[in-house]
Amino acid sequence: MTEPSTLDIMLWVVVPYVAIAVFVVGHFWRYRYDKFGWTTRSSQLYESRLLRLGSPLFHFGILIVALGHVGGVLVPKSWTEAAGIGDTAYHVVAVVLGVLAGLCTLAGAAILVYRRRTVGPVFSATTRNDKVMYVLLVGAIVLGLGTTVLGNLTDHPHDYRDTVSPWFRSIFYLQPEPELMAAAPLGFQLHALVAWALFAFWPFSRLVHVFSMPLGYLTRPYIVYRSRDPRLGNRPVRRGWERVR
């Protein structure tokens, strides 16, 4: 491969490290100084019919997409070959699952965006921050799905495990190889750039809720609800549950 140019170094070395730094430091800052803003700002009270359809489609789809990226980007090609998974089998599974998951994610996102645009109270609660987040998120999904679909329609799919995957891992090895990403098709390059922009914007958006887990529910005491209805029913009152006079 040829020596990387200054532009290649800026795009495939500087941009990733800046995005990772903003991602990490931004989350620390957000948690330290904006705990009350660490929320999804749920709009379920305003409208639930479209939300019940779009939210599961989007979240289950994006989960499969994320797992697919972990397997395709973080797992080296030599590992799958050592496990007896050939290129053809890997390619078929990756394409089928990737397209299905991508379409589900895109359909769910489309429903959620439509809901935000057409339901008055939800639209009023939508901030500029939300709009930027949706643009970056949908852009990354469309570009990722487009590279998969178009590559297979033209019968010349690019094997990203020879370029994109080792480049991505080299970033975390602290031995970046920008020439690998520079050799990838334009679609993969745009997908990567939009993804880095999304990661940099992540700490300042509602996407922080991904790292929220209700662990406190596992250890909190039970909440006992007692009826105010004077009619206690036909069942005998258990000891300790007598009505307080």
Side-chain angles (χ1 to χ4, degrees):
M1 292 186 180
T2 60
E3 288 293 324
S5 64
T6 302
L7 180 60
D8 292 335
I9 295 175
M10 288 293 296
L11 293 178
W12 314 123
V13 179
V14 176
V15 168
Y17 282 125
V18 170
I20 292 172
V22 174
F23 183 86
V24 175
V25 177
H27 276 91
F28 174 80
W29 174 87
R30 180 80 180 272
Y31 186 79
R32 179 69 175 80
Y33 296 103
D34 189 29
K35 286 185 179 180
F36 288 106
W38 192 289
T39 173
T40 61
R41 296 198 303 274
S42 175
S43 58
Q44 184 176 3
L45 290 175
Y46 302 137
E47 195 278 338
S48 59
R49 183 177 61 86
L50 291 173
L51 185 64
R52 284 198 300 266
L53 178 61
S55 184
L57 268 176
F58 174 79
H59 285 91
F60 284 118
I62 201 68
L63 178 61
I64 298 176
V65 169
L67 292 175
H69 278 68
V70 170
V73 176
L74 297 183
V75 177
K77 187 176 181 178
S78 58
W79 290 18
T80 57
E81 292 176 346
I85 303 175
D87 285 343
T88 302
Y90 177 91
H91 180 72
V92 170
V93 173
V95 170
V96 172
L97 289 181
V99 170
L100 289 178
L103 291 176
C104 288
T105 306
L106 191 58
I111 294 173
L112 295 177
V113 171
Y114 172 81
R115 172 179 175 269
R116 286 200 167 270
R117 187 63 187 86
T118 59
V119 179
V122 180
F123 181 73
S124 299
T126 303
T127 64
R128 292 181 179 178
N129 184 292
D130 294 331
K131 295 176 182 178
V132 175
M133 182 268 294
Y134 273 111
V135 169
L136 292 175
L137 189 59
V138 173
I141 296 170
V142 170
L143 287 170
L145 186 60
T147 55
T148 302
V149 173
L150 292 178
N152 286 275
L153 287 178
T154 57
D155 293 328
H156 295 289
H158 177 71
D159 193 351
Y160 56 87
R161 293 192 295 168
D162 291 331
T163 55
V164 180
S165 298
W167 162 77
F168 186 80
R169 293 193 297 271
S170 72
I171 296 295
F172 294 93
Y173 296 157
L174 300 182
Q175 295 179 340
E177 301 180 61
E179 64 276 5
L180 292 175
M181 195 60 189
L186 179 61
F188 287 92
Q189 295 177 347
L190 293 176
H191 178 57
L193 289 175
V194 174
W196 287 125
L198 177 63
F199 285 134
F201 187 73
W202 195 301
F204 314 105
S205 69
R206 66 173 60 203
L207 293 175
V208 294
H209 77 275
V210 171
F211 302 107
S212 300
M213 298 182 65
L215 297 179
Y217 285 96
L218 300 176
T219 57
R220 75 175 187 176
Y222 291 107
I223 299 177
V224 179
Y225 294 94
R226 297 191 180 186
S227 173
R228 293 179 180 271
D229 191 345
R231 297 171 299 176
L232 298 180
N234 297 324
R235 294 183 180 181
V237 180
R238 291 188 301 169
R239 182 179 180 183
W241 290 84
E242 297 88 355
R243 181 173 296 279
V244 178
R245 300 294 182 184

